[in-house]
Amino acid sequence: MTSTSVDREPPAPGPASREPVIRELGTLAHRLRHPPGAPPETPCACEPPRILADRPDGTVVRSGPVVAKAHAADIDRDALAARLALASAPQLSGILLAPLTTPGTPDTAGAVPRPVTFWPYGTPVDPRDPDAAPWAEAAVLLARLHRTVSPLPLPAPPMRGPVKAARAVARMVAALPDSGAVVPVQAAWYALPAWARGEAASPAARSGFLCHGDLHLGQLVRHPAPDGPWLLIDVDDAGLGDAAWDLARPAAWYAAGVLAPEDWLLFLDAYRSAGGPAVPAEGDPWLQLDVPARALTVQTAAVALAKCAAEGREPDEMEQLMIDSCARIATFPPELAAGSAS
């Protein structure tokens, strides 16, 4: 079985209360495409703005070749500016999609009291064609990112992967208070070392790599659209951390039976061939991958349970596979996970 969608939040129309935000983002994106003083089109031939995603951590609207993203209201704005600087740096060209605006984009007024950034539109992975998923290309991009020394004059912010996993667990608990369904997921969570739960710094030997922080196939686009090279997008969680975290979601999917073995091996072999430092060039990669993969298994299961609670449904097949994996993880002694962290 191959998946391009597990742990991804599908785009969904916002409720009426979100419509002003969506309209204003469309207006801002359109304005960037047609700045004041530019010759007007009579009439304007642009298609209406289209929503690409609407979640608490990001509302994304496209207007032609421009994409506007309103980030989470509680995002660390200094860290966001540093991450935008990373995406803009020449050293990351050909790896990260660069924003259209400079770092430190000011907040917008009106319906969007959140930091807004602007990006060129790129063609995403087609979820209807899993056999064409760019696993090898994603692996090479990660290897190049992990080998790059941060070009920022100050230390890059920490990679937010463990914090994101912790938020997923908290969201699950809030959605299902006093429910037995969360018990195996929580047990698997607390079997992890503190650094994998975002409660302590990563081991020093593993914490100095530039990482994406939230790698899945929804984080790749072709730019220039429609047939340009693949690039990584969405730097909200990027920063310095354990490079193995970026391999952890496909590793977790493979271990759970969600990702086909041939896709996992294609991904792993491409990463190693490109000199990726997260795992040894030969031999067993799981000493480095075990803890991050367990953490991403828990995160995926927690998100699935929270979504099921919100939507009043039972987990689907792939969601259940990740939940069942947590039950298996919870049976392992905590020291096994802790020992794999060094």
Side-chain angles (χ1 to χ4, degrees):
M1 183 184 304
T2 302
S3 171
T4 61
S5 60
V6 172
D7 206 31
R8 289 175 58 184
E9 299 276 358
S17 61
R18 306 284 294 149
E19 289 179 2
V21 175
I22 295 166
R23 282 199 304 270
E24 185 164 343
L25 286 175
T27 299
L28 291 169
H30 187 265
R31 187 180 301 159
L32 191 68
R33 185 181 181 188
H34 301 286
E41 295 183 23
T42 310
C44 181
C46 296
E47 296 182 0
R50 181 164 64 92
I51 184 168
L52 302 181
D54 186 18
R55 303 185 297 270
D57 63 345
T59 302
V60 185
V61 174
R62 175 190 177 188
S63 177
V66 178
V67 172
K69 177 176 181 178
H71 299 261
D74 63 348
I75 197 169
D76 183 325
R77 292 159 194 251
D78 290 337
L80 175 61
R83 292 177 172 117
L84 291 172
L86 278 177
S88 303
Q91 295 88 335
L92 278 301
S93 177
I95 302 173
L96 300 176
L97 182 70
L100 294 173
T101 47
T102 57
T105 302
D107 297 351
T108 61
V112 193
R114 295 152 58 183
V116 175
T117 54
F118 300 92
W119 306 82
Y121 175 75
T123 305
V125 175
D126 186 353
R128 299 166 300 181
D129 189 11
D131 291 337
W135 287 113
E137 293 87 345
V140 171
L141 288 171
L142 288 179
R144 292 176 59 197
L145 176 65
H146 297 162
R147 296 198 323 262
T148 302
V149 176
S150 172
L152 301 183
L154 298 175
M159 181 266 292
R160 294 181 66 253
V163 172
K164 199 176 185 82
R167 288 192 173 190
V169 173
R171 174 185 169 191
M172 173 192 69
V173 172
L176 292 164
D178 304 318
S179 171
V182 308
V183 171
V185 181
Q186 285 183 304
W189 179 244
Y190 288 112
L192 294 168
W195 69 266
R197 303 196 306 267
E199 298 172 1
S202 300
R206 302 174 63 133
S207 61
F209 299 96
L210 273 183
C211 303
H212 181 273
D214 188 29
L215 189 279
H216 54 75
L217 290 180
Q219 305 288 35
L220 290 112
V221 298
R222 286 188 178 275
H223 179 75
D227 299 316
W230 290 105
L231 298 172
L232 294 168
I233 64 170
D234 189 359
V235 294
D236 285 19
D237 302 305
L240 293 178
D242 181 2
W245 200 276
D246 283 343
L247 281 63
R249 185 177 271 109
W253 291 354
Y254 163 67
V258 172
L259 183 65
E262 56 268 27
D263 289 331
W264 165 246
L265 292 175
L266 177 67
F267 175 83
L268 181 62
D269 290 348
Y271 182 83
R272 284 172 151 170
S273 296
V279 295
E282 297 179 349
D284 186 359
W286 286 96
L287 182 64
Q288 288 74 29
L289 294 178
D290 181 68
V291 168
R294 294 184 189 204
L296 264 296
T297 300
V298 173
Q299 177 180 325
T300 304
V303 169
L305 285 171
K307 289 173 64 176
C308 289
E311 297 167 8
R313 62 174 176 85
E314 295 297 317
D316 63 27
E317 180 185 2
M318 288 186 289
E319 291 169 335
Q320 192 62 53
L321 283 170
M322 303 306 292
I323 295 166
D324 292 344
S325 292
C326 287
R328 291 194 296 274
I329 290 171
T331 66
F332 296 136
E335 61 268 18
L336 181 62
S340 298
S342 60

